[in-house]
Amino acid sequence: MMNFKKLIKKIATLGIIGVLGTSIIACGGINSQATNESNGNKTETKGTLEKKELIIGLDDTFVPMGFKDENGELVGFDVELAKAVCEKLDKEYKFQAIDWSMKETELNSGNIDLIWNGYSISDERKEKVEFSKPYLDNKQIIVTLADSSINKKADLEGKKVGAQNQSTAVDAVKADKSNIIEKFDGGDLVTFENNNDALMDLEAGRLDAIVVDEILARYYIEARGSEKYKILDENFGDEQYGVGIRKGDTEFVEAFNKALDEVVADGTAGEISKKWFGEDIVVK
């Protein structure tokens, strides 16, 4: 289990807890950008591996993976890991904020090369993008207020349950074999543009529970006051974060994975993890 108290202590010293008042967007994805060059009536596409600079798409409010601190600087675990991998690839990089619900479209249209922001690997997403090897483990957990009568998954029957739109939280709930989603109030999840809005509705009593990434939720809960919330023992399944790369770009996937392996092997990824999570939780 991650040492989130150490993480919050670090963040408090940076003075960026206030960032949590902004929207927190959940899991995202990567893809390699195609650069089109006009040559008369002919358009040539430059492969990702040939590019000098990689455009990394992310939501810049997703703590602790990639977000702006009080000085407006982009920080976070994924931000630092991306810089380290790009260095191994001998590539320049640029981070670009995107509409998270349009992440695959941004990737496939060539506006970005990678989406790197807690992007959960799923079968549905594999149909749209290539994935790097996984680098972090995650769960889709159930969060309620501390005084809630909800103590297990079955208690969600008849309750209003929220999640972030276009997230793997939604996918995980819909895929649950119990079909519990059909028993929610309204027969479906209440979806939000971001997790911060969902958590605020939970605090206000407009929701009974939310389903959310464990990494994000534990960070948020520690920052906002762990006494206010309850995390159920049951959850909607384990998953892993990976980097999404444009479908069919296997040459770049191979090069990317090699660079990622090097960053893990030389201890760089572990040190970044210790900085943000208090311990090395990187998938080996």
Side-chain angles (χ1 to χ4, degrees), residues 15-83:
I16 59 176
I17 293 299
V19 172
L20 292 170
T22 65
S23 59
I24 299 175
I25 311 286
C27 321
I30 303 179
N31 193 345
S32 51
Q33 174 183 356
T35 300
N36 295 325
E37 301 175 350
S38 297
N39 182 12
N41 294 325
K42 181 180 178 181
T43 300
E44 297 178 354
T45 301
K46 183 184 292 185
T48 309
L49 198 56
E50 300 174 46
K51 295 190 65 181
K52 181 179 180 180
E53 181 182 65
L54 300 177
I55 308 300
I56 301 170
L58 80 166
D59 175 81
D60 60 5
T61 62
F62 182 28
V63 296
M65 308 306 283
F67 62 103
K68 291 183 178 179
D69 66 12
E70 79 284 1
N71 297 316
E73 295 294 324
L74 192 63
V75 298
F77 174 83
D78 274 347
V79 170
E80 293 192 27
L81 186 63
K83 291 178 180 179

Side-chain angles (χ1 to χ4, degrees), residues 183-203:
K183 300 176 182 178
F184 292 167
D185 184 353
D188 203 351
L189 285 159
V190 180
T191 56
F192 297 81
E193 181 179 348
N194 57 70
N195 284 297
N196 189 62
D197 288 349
L199 283 156
M200 290 180 67
D201 268 29
L202 177 65
E203 291 178 3

Side-chain angles (χ1 to χ4, degrees), residues 77 81 134-137 260 264 269-270 273 279-284:
F77 174 83
L81 186 63
Y135 63 92
L136 280 185
D137 292 323
L260 179 59
V264 173
S273 178
E279 60 184 297
D280 183 0
I281 62 170
V282 175
V283 174
K284 303 298 189 292

Side-chain angles (χ1 to χ4, degrees), residues 103-231:
K103 54 192 175 292
E104 287 87 3
T105 300
E106 293 279 2
L107 178 63
N108 293 327
S109 66
N111 291 332
I112 58 175
D113 297 306
L114 304 173
I115 304 172
W116 202 330
N117 212 199
Y119 190 39
S120 299
I121 300 170
S122 70
D123 290 339
E124 182 179 355
R125 286 174 173 173
K126 285 179 180 178
E127 295 179 0
K128 302 175 183 177
V129 305
E130 303 286 352
F131 272 101
S132 71
K133 57 177 52 181
Y135 63 92
L136 280 185
D137 292 323
N138 185 47
K139 293 179 181 177
Q140 290 299 334
I141 61 174
I142 304 166
V143 180
T144 69
L145 295 181
D147 60 357
S148 172
S149 62
I150 299 172
N151 294 302
K152 55 184 184 295
K153 192 184 294 184
D155 294 338
L156 296 175
E157 182 174 345
K159 301 296 193 296
K160 289 185 178 180
V161 184
Q164 190 242 340
N165 191 31
Q166 297 295 314
S167 70
T168 49
V170 174
D171 297 337
V173 174
K174 288 182 176 180
D176 193 73
K177 294 180 180 179
S178 69
N179 294 321
I180 186 69
I181 190 172
E182 297 176 0
K183 300 176 182 178
F184 292 167
D185 184 353
D188 203 351
L189 285 159
V190 180
T191 56
F192 297 81
E193 181 179 348
N194 57 70
N195 284 297
N196 189 62
D197 288 349
L199 283 156
M200 290 180 67
D201 268 29
L202 177 65
E203 291 178 3
R206 291 187 289 269
L207 290 176
D208 299 300
I210 64 169
V211 182
V212 62
D213 285 26
E214 179 181 38
I215 285 179
L216 180 149
R218 290 191 182 278
Y219 178 96
Y220 184 98
I221 287 170
E222 288 290 347
R224 299 284 284 227
S226 57
E227 72 282 356
K228 299 178 183 178
Y229 305 93
K230 176 170 59 179
I231 297 175

